[in-house]
Amino acid sequence: MHDKDLPTIATLDELAGLVEGTDALFVRWSRGPEADSAGSSKDALTGVDLPGLSANPLVVEEWWRPRPTWIWVARRLYDYSHLKREKGPGVRPWVLEGDELARGPDNEPLVRVRRPVAWVAESVLADAKRVMTEQSGQWGPLRRP
């Protein structure tokens, strides 16, 4: 599937629905499946090639239930929203179905893509930010400006 043929997730509810049906979904922040076709990320600190693509799991942990899945996925997007800014033009989140091969230097899953699933719309990122700022605790994206 070419990047331009990939559907776009338009709402947090839509993403939550996808997540409810599987435990193999991840979100990756990059220029897309075509740009990632080599299947390997690089450790930014050391320059070492990693044995898979850095991604973040979307699977809902049992301890989270019975809380809403849409809040869970909002948090997963919000926590790593700094990557869009840090990785430069054209970087955006996309969802993939994959297999975890190893763990990276930040303990993130390193995955092999089984299939690209969808892009995540900018409006979903805005909703994720809104949902997280409405929570009672204090938090922010993992890399705060």
Side-chain angles (χ1 to χ4, degrees), residues 108-132:
E108 77 280 15
L110 300 174
V111 301
R112 173 183 33 230
V113 177
R114 275 192 236 153
R115 71 179 179 93
V117 175
W119 293 107
V120 177
E122 191 68 36
S123 60
V124 177
L125 299 178
D127 283 346
K129 181 177 181 177
R130 178 188 51 76
V131 167
M132 290 299 95

Side-chain angles (χ1 to χ4, degrees), residues 13-25:
D13 284 336
E14 184 181 353
L15 181 55
L18 283 173
V19 168
E20 286 292 336
T22 182
D23 62 357
L25 291 184

Side-chain angles (χ1 to χ4, degrees), residues 62-132:
E62 283 304 314
W63 60 263
W64 178 257
R65 298 186 189 281
R67 295 168 190 91
T69 301
W70 58 270
I71 295 177
W72 177 267
V73 296
R75 169 99 187 245
R76 300 307 294 161
L77 291 173
Y78 184 64
D79 282 351
Y80 294 93
S81 61
H82 65 279
L83 294 174
K84 181 177 179 175
R85 179 183 67 253
E86 288 185 6
K87 290 188 171 200
V91 169
R92 58 195 273 209
W94 58 283
V95 176
L96 63 97
E97 183 180 317
D99 301 302
E100 186 174 333
L101 303 173
R103 288 281 171 156
D106 293 325
N107 202 35
E108 77 280 15
L110 300 174
V111 301
R112 173 183 33 230
V113 177
R114 275 192 236 153
R115 71 179 179 93
V117 175
W119 293 107
V120 177
E122 191 68 36
S123 60
V124 177
L125 299 178
D127 283 346
K129 181 177 181 177
R130 178 188 51 76
V131 167
M132 290 299 95

